[in-house]
Amino acid sequence: MKKLLTLITLFIVAQNAIAQKNALRKIADSINTEGETLYRSEWASGHSTQIFTSGFGGKKRLSGGYFSYEKEKKMTTIFFSKNNDPVVLATVKFGHSLDSSKYSIDTATRKFTEFEKDLYAIRSKAAQAVLNDTLFKFYENTSLNLIPIIKNGAKKVYVITAQTAPDEVLLGNDYLINFDRDNNIIKKTKLHNNLIPLGTGGIDAIEASSHQHLGETSPYITATDICAFKLWKAKTTWVISFTVSAGYVSAWHFRDEFLEILTQAEWEKIMKNK
């Protein structure tokens, strides 16, 4: 009887462990997908701005901002005018593979599409919140980028700190603003407690980086962390980056862009056996 109870207990423990691993895998996949969405948007915005500025400087001075979105396997960035009834000044498009040498640009002035109207609306309300709400912090020699996303019926704007120094990757000072279907703000969340500059390596190669998530920060790596890692991957010597919280360790592998999330107990076991 004791052996049977022991076997049942071991079975239950094993099943719980498998269930936990599966749950963490789903969380990791979700974060990774969101990070990829942010990365693609920021990649398109950055390259489109270079194209627009270098070739159409006169029209660029009329621009009140930009945003990017993905549809029909194309990344689109639009630059809109400053006036109260804005129009699209230029449209830049890249293919799904994000080849910076393969793009199209259309500088014909046009109206927003219905989808673009919604993106503009939530971006504008996010911009007002950033200026008027003390939740949002500004650091010297940085700026805040707004990334509006409408996907699967959910509307949100990420606010991230833009990179300035070539020898640093900036994490943190990032936010998520959620909207209802009528484009009203329903929630504002601070994703990290502060700004976290990480050295990229330079002459002395650094193979691993790490930062902590404490307090109300997510116990897992954030989509904004992954976005930053993917954007600046080529400028670092990192092989892996760890995000450590009270209960979990998230490991982002740079070479194959793979995310795994381990419990602290699993992590300690791995480190003990090394």
Side-chain angles (χ1 to χ4, degrees), residues 101-128:
S101 67
K102 297 178 181 179
Y103 65 88
S104 66
I105 180 166
D106 184 352
T107 55
T109 300
R110 63 174 177 83
K111 294 181 179 180
F112 287 121
T113 66
E114 289 303 312
F115 183 65
E116 289 168 349
K117 279 183 184 178
D118 265 356
L119 287 169
Y120 174 78
I122 62 175
R123 185 194 183 281
S124 296
K125 289 188 177 181
Q128 292 172 12

Side-chain angles (χ1 to χ4, degrees), residues 61-250:
R61 287 192 289 273
L62 302 175
S63 175
Y66 60 84
F67 55 81
S68 299
Y69 61 90
E70 186 164 15
K71 269 198 168 185
E72 298 172 352
K73 294 189 175 181
K74 286 186 179 295
M75 286 303 308
T76 299
T77 302
I78 65 168
F79 296 85
F80 53 84
S81 59
K82 294 178 181 178
N83 50 309
N84 292 330
D85 188 18
V87 293
V88 177
L89 299 173
T91 306
V92 182
K93 292 188 177 183
F94 295 94
H96 185 75
S97 62
L98 301 186
D99 183 340
S100 60
S101 67
K102 297 178 181 179
Y103 65 88
S104 66
I105 180 166
D106 184 352
T107 55
T109 300
R110 63 174 177 83
K111 294 181 179 180
F112 287 121
T113 66
E114 289 303 312
F115 183 65
E116 289 168 349
K117 279 183 184 178
D118 265 356
L119 287 169
Y120 174 78
I122 62 175
R123 185 194 183 281
S124 296
K125 289 188 177 181
Q128 292 172 12
V130 166
L131 289 175
N132 299 319
D133 194 321
T134 56
L135 173 73
F136 302 92
K137 305 298 181 186
F138 292 87
Y139 289 82
E140 190 175 0
N141 299 321
T142 68
S143 60
L144 294 178
N145 286 354
L146 305 176
I147 308 174
I149 297 173
I150 299 177
K151 192 174 181 180
N152 299 326
K155 298 181 177 182
K156 52 195 166 186
V157 175
Y158 281 92
V159 183
I160 66 173
T161 298
Q163 175 92 6
T164 52
D167 57 347
E168 288 181 340
V169 172
L170 296 181
L171 304 179
N173 195 41
D174 46 0
Y175 311 83
L176 175 60
I177 306 175
N178 296 95
F179 294 78
D180 64 18
R181 61 187 300 174
D182 297 317
N183 300 331
N184 298 308
I185 294 175
I186 54 176
K187 187 178 181 182
K188 290 172 281 191
T189 307
K190 193 173 187 177
L191 300 178
H192 287 81
N193 288 325
N194 51 14
L195 184 65
I196 308 165
L198 299 176
T200 56
I203 297 173
D204 298 320
I206 301 172
E207 292 193 350
S209 67
S210 67
H211 70 286
Q212 288 185 308
H213 282 187
L214 304 173
E216 295 180 359
T217 307
S218 168
Y220 316 114
I221 193 172
T222 63
T224 52
D225 289 337
I226 290 176
C227 174
F229 291 154
K230 287 175 67 67
L231 282 172
W232 307 111
K233 176 180 177 179
K235 295 187 177 182
T236 76
T237 57
W238 302 341
V239 175
I240 192 168
S241 188
F242 299 105
T243 303
V244 182
S245 70
Y248 302 92
V249 175
S250 303

